[in-house]
Amino acid sequence: MTCAPGSPATRRADDAGFRDALAAELTKVRTLPATWIALLIALAAKLALGIIAATHAIRIASADGAIPVTQMGTLMLSPVYAFIAIAVFAGGSEYGGGQLRVTLAAVPDRTVLFTAKLAATAAVSLLATVLAVLPGYLIQHISALVDGEVSLGAASADFAALVAVYLLLSLIGLGFAVVARSVITPLAVLFIAPVLVSPAFQNTIPDIVKLLPHEAALSLLGTPATPDTELTPSAALSALACWAAAGLFLAWNALSHRDAR
Amino acid sequence: MIDVLAATRTELTKILTLPSAWIVTGIILALHGLIQLQASGLFSEAVAEITPDGVIEVFIGQPRAATDEILGLLVSSSLQAGLFLPMLAAVIAGQEFRWKQLGPTLLAVPRRGLMTAAKLLATALYVLALAIVVSAISTGFMYLAVRDWNPGLLVSAEAFAGHARFLAFAVLSSLTGLAITLIARSTLTGIMIAVGLVAITMTQLLAASAPDVDALLPFSAARNLLLDPGINNLTAGPGHGLLVLTGWAIATATAAGIVLSRRDAR
């Protein structure tokens, strides 16, 4: 039977193509050891920080005296940099051993492949975020919730912001990994920038530094790196969403137009 | 001896033909230049207001003897760029494993101890050259700030001693980064360990609660070696810092030599 493009039969075949590609991408993410290692490290780190924050067992000495760890925004956010390895490996691990050519032989339509990869990574990251973050978050805030110091609504909004940060930083990592054709570059850059690069510039050009992913994430979580780099929650969310959208657009563009290596 | 020279030359060729090594080198120099550029305005203003009795106030509320302060800033500005050098070493070391190069390398240089020594030597030479460029950039920007006051300070024995301490830190910490990556067989692990160690030092997590432990970390040792104890909270003296950095380099390089000579060539 032959069918004209766009006829119902072809469309059904295309739909099946996307479903198959999505299933394949989900299998890839699930069977990558890096996915599970990253999830376990993020879960353990978040849990440990939650216990430290809840018990006030450790205070960090600083120039302004001892401060609780909850005010150390970068430290509290640090598990995310293990977590985003899930998305970075989902996007970048195809390039090392020539896997991409095999993948493209199976799914030649690169837009379908990219959409499937994005959908699978986003779904896995969202599910994994809840798994990685919820236990630590509950331990940190359970007593405040039980005592009624924090309303359930406020806590939910707080938790949603945390999930948004984890998800959007993961998507930035996915886009970056596909563009860089590597897992090392995105993880190294995303991890090094907040620790080594932005502290050198946050006093002289805070208006640029506050728009960077890490600093925007800190603003969204209510612990800006410095008062000068604070953004309103909606502006911080927009900044992160713009980074993710730009990264994903560049990734789709690169995947559609580049040689299959 | 000739074997070592030939193997070192091979390793240097590998570094010099590796695009990622050049990219990271370029990023380090660009960042260093940018940071110096934004600091030089601050330094010029402070130098212009040095009092007749030689007191400078670069950081508000911290008046200090001008010569000490300028010499201190000269070295500490290089330190910031130096923190990236172990990551460069990790990129250099990791390429053998990333592109499965180690097998062919051992075919050419079957004596593994020799190969490890050549790797350490070549990376040390490359990092040394880069660190000299970093010191030169720091000196150049500092010259712009002090040229109307006391430019001779930048070619004094104290200034060169400061640069020498920075070069020692650059080479020793890079050898540590290289060796850790060789042990881990992964660029990513090498970089992450280096950034993690930097983060512990920079956030001063251990400095207040356990200063003795903090002093044993490589980048805390770098602070102890390079920074001025007058304005920084240091956890040990410069001699201790140099010793700790040397200890890290020797311990990790020895471990790398042992595992490379025992393990499968992958």
Side-chain angles (χ1 to χ4, degrees):
Chain A
M1 188 185 82
T2 56
C3 2
S7 74
T10 325
R11 222 178 301 129
R12 266 202 301 281
D14 281 349
D15 289 349
F18 177 74
R19 272 210 304 278
D20 291 344
L22 183 64
E25 291 301 325
L26 283 171
T27 307
K28 273 186 217 162
V29 176
R30 185 165 49 79
T31 52
L32 264 178
T35 303
W36 299 98
I37 296 170
L39 178 61
L40 281 178
I41 294 176
L43 173 69
K46 188 77 193 149
L47 209 56
L49 286 170
I51 292 169
I52 292 171
T55 55
H56 302 283
I58 297 176
R59 281 168 174 262
I60 310 294
S62 79
D64 312 321
I67 53 168
V69 285
T70 44
Q71 283 175 28
M72 304 266 300
T74 298
L75 182 65
M76 294 305 285
L77 186 56
S78 57
V80 82
Y81 291 103
F83 182 83
I84 58 171
I86 297 175
V88 168
F89 272 83
S93 62
E94 301 225 15
Y95 295 91
Q99 167 68 34
L100 185 68
R101 263 172 260 153
V102 182
T103 302
L104 282 172
V107 188
D109 187 328
R110 298 183 179 198
T111 302
V112 168
L113 173 65
F114 182 74
T115 319
K117 199 174 263 308
L118 174 59
T121 310
V124 169
S125 294
L126 185 63
L127 182 66
T129 303
V130 177
L131 285 176
V133 173
L134 193 59
Y137 184 84
L138 279 180
I139 284 186
Q140 186 181 338
H141 295 282
I142 195 80
S143 63
L145 270 170
V146 172
D147 298 346
E149 288 169 31
V150 182
S151 75
L152 201 58
S156 310
D158 210 22
F159 184 68
L162 200 56
V163 171
V165 163
Y166 272 64
L167 185 61
L168 287 170
L169 282 174
S170 292
L171 293 181
I172 292 171
L174 170 70
F176 198 167
V178 172
V179 172
R181 293 198 261 212
S182 148
V183 295
I184 298 167
T185 314
L187 284 176
V189 170
L190 287 172
F191 190 43
I192 289 172
V195 177
L196 281 178
V197 183
S198 38
F201 294 100
Q202 66 193 11
N203 293 323
T204 44
I205 42 171
D207 291 335
I208 295 175
V209 170
K210 70 183 175 190
L211 297 174
L212 295 176
H214 176 80
E215 282 68 22
L218 287 181
S219 290
L220 184 56
L221 297 176
T223 50
T226 66
D228 288 339
T229 57
E230 182 162 14
L231 287 171
T232 62
S234 55
L237 188 61
S238 315
L240 273 177
C242 284
W243 279 104
L248 292 172
F249 173 76
L250 288 175
W252 166 74
N253 199 39
L255 188 65
S256 334
H257 295 111
R258 250 184 345 205
D259 211 7
R261 346 181 232 113
Chain B
M1 192 61 210
I2 293 169
D3 289 356
V4 177
L5 285 182
T8 307
R9 250 189 74 190
T10 318
E11 292 296 335
L12 259 182
T13 308
K14 273 191 214 162
I15 297 173
L16 295 176
T17 52
L18 188 69
S20 47
W22 284 106
I23 293 171
V24 176
T25 303
I27 292 174
I28 292 174
L29 290 178
L31 271 175
H32 184 51
L34 263 177
I35 293 171
Q36 293 308 300
L37 191 66
Q38 60 168 5
S40 72
L42 176 77
F43 294 165
S44 301
E45 282 171 28
V47 168
E49 288 171 13
I50 290 179
T51 58
D53 55 347
V55 172
I56 194 171
E57 194 172 337
V58 177
F59 302 105
I60 294 169
Q62 293 178 347
R64 307 231 318 127
T67 44
D68 292 355
E69 181 81 342
I70 293 293
L71 288 171
L73 287 170
L74 187 63
V75 179
S76 65
S77 55
S78 298
L79 170 62
Q80 186 138 29
L83 298 178
F84 292 95
L85 295 177
M87 291 154 217
L88 171 66
V91 169
I92 290 173
Q95 46 109 16
E96 292 271 355
F97 306 102
R98 222 179 149 205
W99 306 114
K100 307 201 168 25
Q101 170 68 34
L102 191 62
T105 299
L106 284 173
L107 206 55
V109 187
R111 285 164 58 197
R112 298 186 176 198
L114 178 69
M115 199 255 317
T116 314
K119 263 189 195 311
L120 292 165
L121 212 57
T123 310
L125 285 174
Y126 183 77
V127 169
L128 185 66
L130 178 57
I132 290 174
V133 176
V134 167
S135 283
I137 292 175
S138 307
T139 308
F141 277 101
M142 196 54 90
Y143 173 74
L144 295 180
V146 302
R147 63 185 158 183
D148 297 329
W149 170 64
N150 183 5
L153 188 61
L154 299 180
V155 288
S156 64
E158 288 87 353
F160 282 110
H163 290 314
R165 279 182 288 142
F166 170 68
L167 296 183
F169 150 69
V171 170
L172 291 170
S173 65
S174 299
L175 291 182
T176 306
L178 179 88
I180 289 175
T181 311
L182 289 177
I183 296 167
R185 289 200 269 205
S186 142
T187 313
L188 188 60
T189 312
I191 292 178
M192 288 302 161
I193 290 176
V195 182
L197 288 169
V198 171
I200 295 175
T201 297
M202 289 295 143
T203 50
Q204 297 277 286
L205 267 179
L206 292 174
S209 48
D212 293 341
V213 181
D214 182 79
L216 295 176
L217 295 175
F219 295 102
S220 304
R223 289 183 83 242
N224 296 337
L225 174 64
L226 298 177
L227 296 186
D228 189 336
I231 43 171
N232 297 284
N233 291 320
L234 300 182
T235 46
H240 185 281
L242 185 62
L243 214 62
V244 169
L245 279 170
T246 314
W248 271 86
I250 291 176
T252 52
T254 311
I258 292 172
V259 295
L260 273 182
S261 57
R262 295 260 176 275
R263 258 186 335 210
D264 216 5
R266 288 186 279 120

